[in-house]
Amino acid sequence: MLTLLLHRKNASPSTRCAALAQMATVAGALVIYCRDIFPAQLVFALSNSLFEACIFSCLLGVIYYHRLEKTLRPLMQAVAAGLVLCGGLMASIPLLTAQYRYRMLMTMPFFCLAYGLIAWVIARRRTPYRPISQSISFYLAITGLLCSLLRLIDAGTITDMFPPPSHVNFQSMLMNILALTMFGTALTLVFWQIEAQNQRLRQLAEHDGLTGLQNRRSFMEQCRQRLQQSRPVALLIFDIDHFKQINDRFGHMYGDKVLRELGEHLRTFARRDDLLARYGGEEFCLFSHDATLDQLASLAERLRASVAGLRFGEGPDCVMRITISIGGVAHPGPDTALTLESLLQTADARLYMAKRSGRNQAIVGDALIEAVAETNQRLPVSANHPSS
């Protein structure tokens, strides 16, 4: 009920299923708590039906969350039919369920199947950032599956109408664990959705919407963190030559397509630990650890050549090539006085030099601030970058 109230404005099908599972679990626990008031057969039928409804609702919640309702519809119908059949047998043949072993043989296979399906569906979900609630849901489902199997195996050795004292504590412990896994699975479904929404918002806040690369703010924050590790660092700044002419000739939509395809190429070019960002407009940055000046020069040249070999457009009459100009800086570290701003300023000055030298070039060097001062002395104070 609380789950539905918290999500009353945007309650999804999986949230409704989670709320239904929680209410069914609480209702089943109340039935067991009041077992002295009702006949034993009625308590058994109601509690098991409610707990089975809880597990089925959890399964539906996971399926709806993953948007697999169309793919797994026959499976959902088969499980629902089995649930109704099991409840009908319990209600119509009380003599069959009077003995504890037969009751477990009727209900525990359903629990094993449902928990196994929940774990399987959860494991199918592959995301770059795995929410902690997803992992908790998976392990809860595995725990419920193991407890159901243990209850089924132990019940096979019980021949009395009720479990003897030697089995009561074991069965009670497993039943309590099952109840916790039921309620926990339903609860983590709600938190899973909240975590996934927060991660999507974080993804939008930290990445450029067009290229999918990191945006400027996120890139600078992570670079500052890495500079504190006192390791050799290298920074490249590069942008597309004459990009304004591409927009003027082909339109901004085509320019966006060039940026998007270039971003995809850069992701395949960069190493796993490199930071890659769209710094602004048609300008990009790459931050790397443990790269010497020679390695940085080789990396910059390979990047320039690989971009020059790309083709953009569709059809033989719409094929276009682009070039980039690159400025780079390497620092051997450690240096407590080293700042990201000084690295960016030095790399930016060398990018300017590359453009002034004819574009489609890569100019790199070490992180000497004097190089920036020397460059600024040769340029007017109000000088800006040449037109891209």
Side-chain angles (χ1 to χ4, degrees), residues 30-342:
L30 289 176
V31 169
I32 294 177
Y33 181 76
C34 302
R35 59 184 178 273
D36 296 332
I37 303 176
F38 305 103
Q41 188 65 29
L42 181 61
V43 170
F44 166 75
L46 283 177
S47 62
N48 277 279
S49 297
L50 288 170
F51 287 149
E52 288 173 356
C54 169
I55 295 297
F56 185 65
S57 298
C58 288
L59 177 61
L60 287 181
V62 174
I63 290 174
Y64 280 123
Y65 179 75
H66 291 296
R67 298 178 181 177
L68 299 174
E69 59 270 21
K70 294 182 180 179
T71 306
L72 301 179
R73 183 172 296 171
L75 179 62
M76 295 161 54
Q77 293 173 347
V79 174
L83 178 61
V84 173
L85 178 62
C86 183
L89 289 175
M90 287 189 296
S92 60
I93 313 178
L95 293 178
L96 182 63
T97 57
Q99 197 168 2
Y100 188 82
R101 175 172 58 181
Y102 295 137
R103 294 203 297 265
M104 294 299 102
L105 289 176
M106 288 186 63
T107 57
M108 285 304 106
F110 174 82
F111 280 77
C112 293
L113 174 64
Y115 275 119
L117 288 174
I118 291 173
W120 173 69
V121 175
I122 292 174
R124 281 172 53 108
R125 183 71 171 178
R126 303 291 182 183
T127 55
Y129 306 98
R130 186 180 181 94
I132 185 65
S133 298
Q134 181 179 359
S135 300
I136 293 174
S137 299
F138 176 77
Y139 291 120
L140 284 174
I142 294 296
T143 302
L145 174 61
L146 293 177
C147 288
S148 300
L149 284 174
L150 288 174
R151 289 196 72 185
L152 183 61
I153 294 172
D154 184 68
T157 63
I158 298 175
T159 57
D160 301 331
M161 182 175 296
F162 298 101
S166 59
H167 292 259
V168 168
N169 292 335
F170 184 65
Q171 287 286 337
S172 298
M173 179 188 69
L174 292 177
M175 184 177 66
N176 291 332
I177 294 176
L178 272 179
L180 290 175
T181 58
M182 290 180 213
F183 191 81
T185 303
L187 192 61
T188 52
L189 282 177
V190 180
F191 288 109
W192 185 358
Q193 295 180 78
I194 295 174
E195 279 188 273
Q197 291 173 359
N198 291 338
Q199 286 181 354
R200 282 194 290 269
L201 293 175
R202 192 180 302 115
Q203 179 82 4
L204 293 174
E206 295 179 353
H207 290 76
D208 174 59
L210 180 63
T211 62
L213 304 178
Q214 286 183 315
N215 58 26
R216 179 171 180 165
R217 181 186 61 81
S218 175
F219 174 76
M220 295 186 71
E221 287 180 359
Q222 295 194 43
C223 285
R224 289 193 177 95
Q225 293 175 3
R226 295 198 177 191
L227 284 176
Q228 298 175 1
Q229 300 177 12
S230 301
R231 294 166 56 186
V233 296
L235 177 69
L236 292 178
I237 296 181
F238 49 95
D239 67 9
I240 303 173
D241 297 327
H242 303 294
F243 185 71
K244 185 177 183 299
Q245 296 180 12
I246 297 175
N247 282 332
D248 293 341
R249 181 180 177 184
F250 299 100
H252 289 276
M253 295 294 291
Y254 192 86
D256 289 347
K257 181 180 179 181
V258 170
L259 291 172
R260 187 164 48 249
E261 293 183 7
L262 179 59
E264 295 175 358
H265 173 73
L266 293 176
R267 277 196 294 271
T268 62
F269 184 88
R271 300 182 304 179
R272 181 185 297 271
D273 295 332
D274 292 342
L275 295 179
L276 187 62
R278 183 186 179 192
Y279 197 65
E282 69 277 11
E283 196 170 45
F284 298 84
C285 282
L286 188 148
F287 183 93
S288 181
H289 265 316
D290 303 325
T292 64
L293 183 58
D294 291 338
Q295 291 172 336
L296 181 63
S298 175
L299 174 66
E301 181 58 29
R302 285 191 290 111
L303 176 60
R304 185 202 62 80
S306 68
V307 173
L310 294 177
R311 293 187 176 185
F312 299 89
E314 299 176 357
D317 298 330
C318 189
V319 174
M320 183 186 66
R321 296 180 184 272
I322 64 172
T323 61
I324 59 174
S325 298
I326 303 175
V329 58
H331 192 282
D335 184 355
T336 55
L338 180 66
T339 63
L340 177 61
E341 286 72 18
S342 65

